[in-house]
Amino acid sequence: TVTSNPTRTSPVKRGKWILENLLAAPPPAPPPGVPELGAADGGSGGTLRAQMERHRADPACSACHQLMDPLGFGLENYDPVGGWRTADGGVPIEADGQLPDGRSFRGPQELRAVLLGRKEEFRRCVAEKLLTYALGRGLEWYDACAVERIAANCAAGGDRFSVLVKEIVVSPAF
């Protein structure tokens, strides 16, 4: 629900959420003056995917959207409040995508498999988020070594949460 608009889903917000909160790879801010979806193409309609493809045709938008959109479209089977659906407004859901590295998927289960293949990024992201919470401040460039050490030791410890917490507590940053 947090990554949806009031009346529809938002693959962009969903993709951005995955990048920021699961992979620690937030996309850059949009360039100034980029109109909202619908306003960019005069509200010409079509499926959400078609509108996004027209939006992505702008080279200034394409670089970031090629990172976010496929991830977000992989979750399109979930409606704005998380209920499962196979169609949106009578149009079948297309929950497939191709990532910039060439990997492709069809639906949330295959997207899950793709994300599970990115364990190192996820591990680092969790280490960053939990270290931020533990320190009570944002991370700085000099915290990068601690994050790397915490993530590496967590992997060596079988990715157990108890290992993650211990590594944070014994880190010089803490």
Side-chain angles (χ1 to χ4, degrees):
T1 300
V2 162
T3 60
S4 293
N5 293 320
T7 59
R8 65 170 173 81
T9 61
S10 175
V12 175
K13 289 179 183 177
R14 287 177 173 182
K16 182 180 179 197
W17 189 92
I18 290 171
L19 290 172
E20 290 176 337
N21 294 293
L22 299 181
L23 303 175
V34 174
E36 288 291 317
L37 186 62
D41 58 11
S44 60
T47 65
L48 183 57
R49 184 176 286 269
Q51 291 178 47
M52 290 304 305
E53 286 172 2
R54 285 191 299 274
H55 181 75
R56 258 195 324 267
D58 181 345
C61 301
S62 181
C64 295
H65 280 279
Q66 72 177 345
L67 301 171
M68 297 181 289
D69 294 358
L71 297 170
F73 277 117
L75 299 174
E76 273 299 284
N77 283 113
Y78 298 100
D79 69 15
V81 294
W84 183 260
R85 64 187 180 165
T86 56
D88 182 20
V91 179
I93 297 290
E94 295 178 54
D96 59 324
Q98 182 169 1
L99 301 174
D101 66 6
R103 288 181 291 172
S104 60
F105 59 87
R106 296 187 72 76
Q109 289 300 327
E110 288 185 20
L111 173 59
R112 179 181 184 270
V114 167
L115 293 174
L116 284 172
R118 298 175 77 170
K119 285 182 182 179
E120 289 180 26
E121 293 164 274
F122 177 73
R123 189 180 297 119
R124 179 179 166 73
C125 186
V126 171
E128 285 179 4
K129 301 272 183 201
L130 200 54
L131 184 60
T132 298
Y133 179 78
L135 296 176
R137 65 168 173 81
L139 299 184
E140 302 292 339
W141 63 269
Y142 48 80
D143 294 316
C145 291
V147 170
E148 291 301 325
R149 188 173 25 253
I150 291 165
N153 290 342
C154 186
D159 287 327
R160 291 191 328 267
F161 189 73
S162 59
V163 173
L164 176 65
V165 172
K166 176 190 161 269
E167 290 302 322
I168 287 172
V169 170
V170 300
S171 73
F174 187 76

